[in-house]
Amino acid sequence: MKKSALVYTTIFSMFLFASCSVSKFIPEKKYLLDEVKIETDKKELKPALFNNYIRQNPNAKWFNIVKIPMYIYSASGRDSTKAINKFFRKIGDAPVIYDEATAIKTKDEMQKAARNFGYMGATVNMEKKVNKNKLKLTYKIISGHPYYIRQIAYDIKDLKIGELISGSQEQSLIKEGMLFDVNVLNSERDRINKLLQDNGYYKFTKDFIVYQADTSRNINQIDLTMRLLPYQKRKEDAPTDHSQYKVNSVNFVADDNIPRIDESTLSSYDSIQYKGRNIYFKENCYLRPKVMNNANRIKEDGLFNDQDVRNTYYSLGRLNALKYSNIRFLENDSLPNSLDAYILMARANNKSLSFELEGTNSAGDIGAAASVAFMHKNLFRGSESFMIKLRGAYEAITGLKGGYASDNYTEYGIESNLNFPEFMFPFLSSSFKNKIRATSELGIKFSSQIRPEFSRTSASASWSYRWSRLRNIHRFDLIDINYIYMPKISDEFRDYLDNMTGSNSLLKYSYEDQLIVKMGYNYTFNSLGTSVNKNPTKDSYTIRFSFEEAGNLLYAASKLANVAPKNNESFVLANIPFAQYVKADVDYTKNFVIDPRNSLVFHIGGGIAVPYGNSKMLPFEKRYFSGGANSVRGWTVRSLGPGAFQGSTDGKLDFLNYTGDIKLDVNLEYRTHLFWKFNGAAFVDAGNIWNMKENSDQPGGVFKINKFYNQIAVAYGLGIRMDLDYLILRFDGGMKAINPMRTGKEKYPITRPDFGRDFAFHFAVGYPF
């Protein structure tokens, strides 16, 4: 028997066995729910609108193709006491047995939903197709004629509220001639409720707004009346107009155990006053009064405004020193329609110590790294976050050429940052600082790398700002200073550098002392307003943009000082040449949710960096590289490009040449839930890097508009992700499909795949994009 025939026979036998195993879990006269579909007779009513109303879904499929989790469960057999069977049942999915009552409930809810969308005569039929012990169910939605709003009237006897609603008609969601959509009517109630609560109506809820729909005048047209119900605290009370409330006072309670607020409780607290506001605490006040006061957005002697309350919650949420907060309002008995606000703050555990241990693998060399970090979330009683981290690493290096005294790589470093919960900049008003809601961060870092070939020391300091609003996140690096110092280079390695072609060789330039003084800006927009590290439940997209420039201020200062460099060399500061360049990156990710267990993610990203003025080429740390866990996964990190560059035979040092000035990445990834905490992925990646100018050390690496598309590398592969809630471990295996670093038939390894030559394995934390 041929090998291919044997494979097909084995696969067929496995599926036949799996089908038999599933049958044992299907009771007599019952059916396995094999498939559920939704069909509508109008394009406007998309089937996806009704997915959330399905109460019973069939078993999930891997990659939307095969129900592997169901087969895993079915392999457990009927004896549930065995450990292996318990394990299979835990990670698998029990076969879903069709339930008629649940299907009828789904039908009724879909019918109600269709009518709420404006199709008041809509009906839903169920169509069942049975094949042996399997059932396929189709919900067919017959929409009927849509109903439209002919005219809108308002029955509002409260004059003040009537004026507010009338003055906001431009923002109204209800328009004459629109579809009679109950969901839109409810959204309009929410809008009006927010409008009134932002204008003093503390006790108002949307339940006071009701609609009356009259269909008697015309078929499929509705005369809509919005009515405002009067205020009644109890049913037996006489109806009255709704009252507007003012805020009389704002008070702070700094306590770990938030009690019920009343006069008897507060009498046991110590208190101080800051700018006319009371601050209550026990033993000591762990936050400075100014910090509390700056977080507050509620104004005394003004109308109650729920937006101010939400803004205060947001400001308090930015204080790392707080575990949680709560804002309560009490009616002031001595002042009618007046409220006293109490901002309750529970202190977080401010000190923590963490330890991390990790394994490293660099080009096959195995090593280990460890770090310990200390965090203090309230260093100066102003919710300042302070972090200091110590890190050490060791790696045994193999394959070195030449007579080196050691074959060990060691690294040690220390980094620290101090974060302030405000925009710290001179001459800015308090109102501006409160409006922008930024945090300021000071960062310092030092690391030392000791290799057999050289020693490398890096020191940096930065001052940056970060702020966010709704779905937008901004980061501005006001100044970032990096100093790279090479205290020792071995004679063997120095000879290697001296023998490199060209006086401005990338390799040689990468091992010189450098000074980088840069400014930068990063912007991120997420359509869901949340992190995309987790799979979102609905379609979403993310846009990232970053820009940085370095050396311009130093270059201008050097020019003004009229210190001309010798022999056309670079300007220097403290005898160290400084880098001058601009760099910009843009990144777009789109997530298409197919169902709760399957999604398709598209990503495209690119960047360009241009050295100029004082720099003839980019610093090595700022150059792009391709390949690796977050790029084209058929290549290991720093092993692809630039362009058609084929690499050299010099072994260990060749990775330095796999860098460029331009980068392009395009990725398509299908993600599916497998079982338990495991998710799977199938992906196709494409991309490469290029140089702006010809470089004799990287032949074929320059970007040319009429050639670059023929130099795009393509890879495909599969991946497994383990979702541990607090982090995601990712394992990806990629195969080369199109290799621009080769010519002829070798350029297309997809036609003749060689696992040993074309495969790359990656381990990473988090999703690739």
Side-chain angles (χ1 to χ4, degrees), residues 2 72 93 98 126 131 224 247 255 262 278 282 382 385 476 481 512 550 580 603 627 642 674 766:
K2 292 183 178 180
I72 292 174
D93 289 341
Y98 172 72
M126 294 193 310
N131 182 11
L224 186 69
V247 177
D255 188 8
D262 54 37
N278 294 318
K282 286 189 174 181
S385 294
F476 175 54
I481 303 173
E512 296 176 350
Q580 191 174 11
H603 166 261
L674 300 179

Side-chain angles (χ1 to χ4, degrees), residues 10-188:
T10 303
I11 294 174
F12 176 77
S13 301
M14 290 174 61
F15 276 99
L16 183 63
F17 171 75
S19 299
C20 295
S21 300
V22 174
S23 299
K24 294 187 297 185
F25 290 88
I26 303 175
E28 188 177 353
K29 295 183 180 181
K30 295 288 185 178
Y31 302 98
L32 175 72
L33 184 59
D34 189 47
E35 185 181 5
V36 175
K37 292 173 60 179
I38 302 172
E39 295 179 357
T40 66
D41 62 350
K42 278 191 171 61
K43 292 182 179 179
E44 294 80 5
L45 278 179
K46 297 179 181 179
L49 294 172
F50 300 90
N51 285 336
N52 291 334
Y53 300 100
I54 298 177
R55 290 186 167 220
Q56 190 179 37
N57 283 293
N59 289 94
K61 299 177 181 179
W62 282 12
F63 299 103
N64 221 21
I65 299 175
V66 186
K67 298 178 180 179
I68 298 295
M70 181 184 71
Y71 294 137
I72 292 174
Y73 184 97
S74 301
S76 66
R78 295 189 179 279
D79 188 355
S80 61
T81 61
K82 293 182 178 180
I84 185 64
N85 290 346
K86 288 181 179 180
F87 176 72
F88 284 151
R89 291 193 177 194
K90 182 176 182 179
I91 67 175
D93 289 341
V96 177
I97 307 303
Y98 172 72
D99 183 76
E100 179 77 10
T102 302
I104 291 174
K105 288 181 180 178
T106 298
K107 167 192 165 184
D108 293 341
E109 290 186 10
M110 285 186 177
Q111 183 170 285
K112 181 181 177 181
R115 292 178 177 180
N116 285 341
F117 285 134
Y119 298 85
M120 299 180 67
T123 58
V124 179
N125 296 329
M126 294 193 310
E127 183 179 283
K128 293 174 280 187
K129 291 184 180 180
V130 176
N131 182 11
K132 296 182 180 179
N133 59 357
K134 296 181 180 180
L135 182 146
K136 294 185 178 181
L137 180 62
T138 302
Y139 295 98
K140 293 192 172 183
I141 301 173
I142 304 166
S143 60
H145 296 290
Y147 281 70
Y148 295 92
I149 297 176
R150 189 176 75 94
Q151 64 180 19
I152 306 170
Y154 295 88
D155 182 8
I156 301 175
K157 296 180 173 60
D158 191 313
L159 296 181
K160 286 186 178 180
I161 291 180
E163 289 178 1
L164 285 170
I165 294 176
S166 177
S168 69
Q169 280 305 297
E170 290 186 2
Q171 290 80 42
S172 176
L173 305 177
I174 305 175
K175 309 292 182 183
E176 292 181 354
M178 66 172 283
L179 197 68
F180 182 71
D181 190 332
V182 173
N183 303 292
V184 177
L185 300 186
N186 285 331
S187 296
E188 176 66 4

Side-chain angles (χ1 to χ4, degrees), residues 432-662:
F432 177 81
K433 291 180 180 180
N434 291 339
K435 183 179 180 181
I436 200 168
R437 298 173 177 174
T439 60
S440 309
E441 183 173 284
L442 171 67
I444 300 174
K445 186 175 182 180
F446 173 86
S447 67
S448 178
Q449 301 172 352
I450 304 173
R451 291 182 60 94
E453 312 98 310
F454 60 85
S455 296
R456 185 186 186 97
T457 299
S458 174
S460 65
S462 64
W463 181 262
S464 61
Y465 301 99
R466 180 186 175 96
W467 68 97
S468 60
R469 182 172 178 82
L470 300 176
R471 303 177 180 91
N472 304 275
I473 299 175
H474 308 263
R475 179 187 174 95
F476 175 54
D477 297 316
L478 180 64
I479 187 167
D480 191 334
I481 303 173
N482 290 266
Y483 172 51
I484 300 168
Y485 173 56
M486 304 293 297
K488 187 190 76 171
I489 299 179
S490 67
D491 294 337
E492 294 87 350
F493 191 59
R494 191 178 298 279
D495 290 341
Y496 179 87
L497 296 178
D498 292 339
N499 290 331
M500 294 301 293
T501 58
S503 59
N504 291 314
S505 162
L506 169 63
L507 182 60
K508 189 172 182 179
Y509 181 69
S510 300
Y511 290 92
E512 296 176 350
D513 296 346
Q514 297 180 45
L515 178 65
I516 303 173
V517 181
K518 71 181 184 70
M519 297 175 62
Y521 170 75
N522 292 269
Y523 169 77
T524 301
F525 175 85
N526 184 354
S527 63
L528 293 182
T530 58
S531 172
V532 294
N533 197 42
K534 286 281 189 180
N535 282 325
T537 57
K538 62 180 181 179
D539 290 359
S540 62
Y541 66 93
T542 301
I543 299 173
R544 298 183 180 90
F545 169 77
S546 65
F547 174 82
E548 67 180 68
E549 66 82 22
N552 286 339
L553 291 177
L554 295 180
Y555 188 80
S558 299
K559 283 286 190 179
L560 289 174
N562 198 25
V563 181
K566 298 178 181 179
N567 301 322
N568 291 323
E569 294 180 355
S570 302
F571 284 105
V572 296
L573 180 66
N575 221 23
I576 305 169
F578 55 86
Q580 191 174 11
Y581 65 88
V582 292
K583 184 177 183 181
D585 296 87
V586 65
D587 198 86
Y588 174 80
T589 303
K590 174 70 176 181
N591 191 308
F592 302 91
V593 176
I594 299 171
D595 58 47
R597 301 174 71 102
N598 296 275
S599 63
L600 184 67
V601 184
F602 169 76
H603 166 261
I604 183 170
I608 183 170
V610 182
Y612 65 97
N614 209 50
S615 296
K616 297 179 175 62
M617 65 174 57
L618 287 170
F620 176 73
E621 287 78 5
K622 297 300 177 180
R623 293 179 66 82
Y624 294 107
F625 62 88
S626 193
N630 300 320
S631 184
V632 187
R633 283 166 278 185
W635 281 259
T636 56
V637 65
R638 297 184 187 275
S639 65
L640 171 61
F645 173 61
Q646 297 185 10
S648 66
T649 59
D650 291 330
K652 301 293 289 184
L653 299 173
D654 200 36
F655 77 93
L656 293 164
N657 278 323
Y658 294 108
T659 59
D661 308 318
I662 302 171

